Amino acid sequence: MNHMSASQSLLLFFLILPLAAQVRFAADKIDIDVDGKPFTTLYFGADNNKPFLSPLRSASGKIVTRRFPMEKVEGESSDHLHHRGLWFSYDDVNGVKFWENDPSYKKGTVGRIVARRAAWKDGPKSGVLECTFDWNDPNGTTLLVENRAMTFLSNPTLRIIDFDITLTAADKV
């Protein structure tokens, strides 16, 4: 009779668990994989005025968001430079634009949503990326503090992101 030790059983148990979601951190982006396959990347670097997820992929790997303006793809529309993948913002906070805020825009008062903190938590069928962002006016004064939790869920046929976002006035933090 072949018996496994407790440590061998535990190792086997972890080897057959689904991979769920994993991340790779870099200086200005975080790559998110689901079940060992690329799903999306959170961009938050200085070249962007707001954080965004791009590209988004289906469970089969097909890209379902446009790539412009990050890259040019033949036949894809090239309008609205501020439409970058999937993002969250609001147009006017105390007279500062956070929606139409591409770095090239010169019309109006353009703000920036700046990453302050990011942390990853693993789960058996999901992963949670928790971030804190400062919504700053052009002088760098923080108007809002955003706490965001993005839960990336593992499913063989779907890709799911659940957003939990709290905005707090900076003078209330």
Side-chain angles (χ1 to χ4, degrees), residues 35-161:
D35 295 332
K37 296 187 288 187
F39 175 42
T40 192
T41 299
L42 174 67
Y43 291 92
F44 55 87
D47 294 341
N48 310 296
N49 276 354
K50 62 185 162 217
F52 63 94
L53 296 167
S54 181
L56 290 172
R57 293 177 181 86
S58 68
S60 69
K62 180 179 180 178
I63 293 176
V64 296
T65 52
R66 80 174 186 169
R67 297 184 197 170
F68 182 83
M70 294 72 64
E71 63 181 279
K72 294 187 185 206
V73 175
E74 185 69 31
E76 209 175 61
S77 67
S78 59
D79 60 347
H80 296 84
L81 293 172
H82 59 282
H83 286 190
R84 294 173 177 259
L86 176 64
W87 80 97
F88 171 80
S89 68
Y90 191 78
D91 188 39
D92 186 323
V93 176
N94 295 353
V96 179
K97 292 180 164 294
F98 289 97
W99 183 270
E100 289 182 279
N101 68 340
D102 186 80
S104 68
Y105 290 177
K106 303 300 178 213
K107 184 179 175 186
T109 304
V110 176
R112 293 191 66 219
I113 302 173
V114 180
R116 184 193 317 169
R117 178 191 75 81
W120 179 255
K121 292 181 182 178
D122 281 321
K125 295 214 177 247
S126 65
V128 179
L129 181 58
E130 294 179 342
C131 301
T132 301
F133 299 107
D134 292 332
W135 292 40
N136 296 340
D137 71 11
N139 299 320
T141 301
T142 301
L143 303 176
L144 293 174
V145 174
E146 174 187 343
N147 288 299
R148 180 188 306 184
M150 294 173 279
T151 303
F152 298 88
L153 300 154
S154 173
N155 181 301
T157 60
L158 299 172
R159 291 295 174 256
I160 302 167
I161 311 170

